[in-house]
Amino acid sequence: MGDVAATIKIMPDGVERDLEEIKAKIADVLPEGSELFGTADEPIAFGLKAIKATVLVGDLEGGTEPVEEAIATIEGVESVQVEEVGRPV
């Protein structure tokens, strides 16, 4: 059918965690058929920042669950949550 774009919020396990290191590993762990489109930092509180990643995923490949599971395996990732899914423009 096509691709869907998923915005995924990735929380590190602490303020001291290097977000650039996590960002560098995201593209490496993504399952075949998905592609990292971009990342941005989102301030949360008290110096803690989350990573917002936009990932393109084929809509017939089980949705975003394999992507979420792959990102969760990265060292330093506390939680992974899909915030939005839609068609890329």
Side-chain angles (χ1 to χ4, degrees):
M1 287 258 239
D3 290 334
V4 293
T7 302
I8 301 173
K9 185 176 188 176
I10 303 161
M11 292 296 298
D13 60 4
V15 180
E16 67 285 343
R17 185 60 67 179
D18 183 4
L19 296 184
E20 296 304 316
E21 186 177 309
I22 293 174
K23 288 179 196 177
K25 294 178 181 177
I26 293 172
D28 294 337
V29 300
L30 290 177
E32 187 175 327
S34 53
E35 176 185 350
L36 180 64
F37 189 71
T39 61
D41 294 347
E42 176 186 351
I44 303 298
F46 306 107
L48 183 64
K49 294 180 183 178
I51 299 169
K52 287 249 185 138
T54 303
V55 180
L56 296 179
V57 181
D59 61 359
L60 297 177
E61 297 168 10
T64 61
E65 196 169 317
V67 172
E68 294 172 70
E69 291 171 356
I71 293 172
T73 65
I74 299 172
E75 182 179 348
V77 171
E78 178 73 26
S79 66
V80 179
Q81 178 182 10
V82 174
E83 291 196 324
E84 185 178 349
V85 177
R87 295 277 176 207
V89 229

